[in-house]
Amino acid sequence: MDINELNFFLELETKVWEALVTGDMQADASLLADDFLGVYSSGMAGKEEHAAQLEGGPTVADYSLSDARIVILAEDIFLLSYLARWRCTANGKQEAMYITSIWKKIGEAWLNIFSQDTKAA
């Protein structure tokens, strides 16, 4: 693993988090592949459902990402896992999850094709 690769994919992931902080549905959707699949404790979601969570505005007040690791699955497919800690805008509750995202180069763009959250202890 190259530290530049890790930083590149952390920057992409950060753009998703920033969309959650700003409530930007368009920015969120632009980072997800059309066949995106998210697996969460609340169930599974596609691209439309992921972006729709922002219809009421921002869902995240602030966040931090740490303990990042990357696995190269193929030349144009990377798996990024990290610990995310954030505060929800709706109730101020602090959350912590280990998140795994798979990023794939589609055309000239890197898009998130899969994400799964695992509650941190």
Side-chain angles (χ1 to χ4, degrees):
M1 176 201 64
D2 182 312
I3 191 67
N4 292 327
E5 290 170 338
L6 177 61
N7 289 337
F8 176 79
F9 290 100
L10 273 174
E11 286 176 23
L12 285 173
E13 198 75 20
T14 297
K15 289 179 181 181
V16 175
W17 283 94
E18 286 299 314
L20 300 176
V21 169
T22 61
D24 189 338
M25 288 177 63
Q26 199 167 10
D28 183 68
S30 74
L31 295 161
L32 306 179
D34 289 341
D35 60 350
F36 168 82
L37 173 64
V39 179
Y40 312 111
S41 59
S42 59
M44 292 187 254
K47 177 178 181 171
E48 293 76 25
E49 292 90 358
H50 193 278
Q53 70 181 314
L54 299 173
E55 284 179 344
T59 57
V60 172
D62 53 60
Y63 68 94
S64 67
L65 311 180
S66 63
D67 301 328
R69 298 175 188 184
I70 196 164
V71 176
I72 302 168
L73 300 177
E75 183 178 330
D76 60 353
I77 304 173
F78 285 71
L79 180 149
L80 175 68
S81 291
Y82 60 94
L83 175 61
R85 297 182 186 279
W86 72 93
R87 187 168 45 91
C88 297
T89 55
N91 59 15
K93 183 178 175 187
Q94 295 284 336
E95 299 277 347
M97 298 269 186
Y98 287 99
I99 297 177
T100 297
S101 291
I102 298 176
W103 291 86
K104 179 178 181 181
K105 191 169 187 182
I106 301 173
E108 293 301 311
W110 283 95
L111 299 174
N112 190 312
I113 62 169
F114 176 84
S115 183
Q116 182 168 8
D117 298 354
T118 303
K119 188 160 183 68

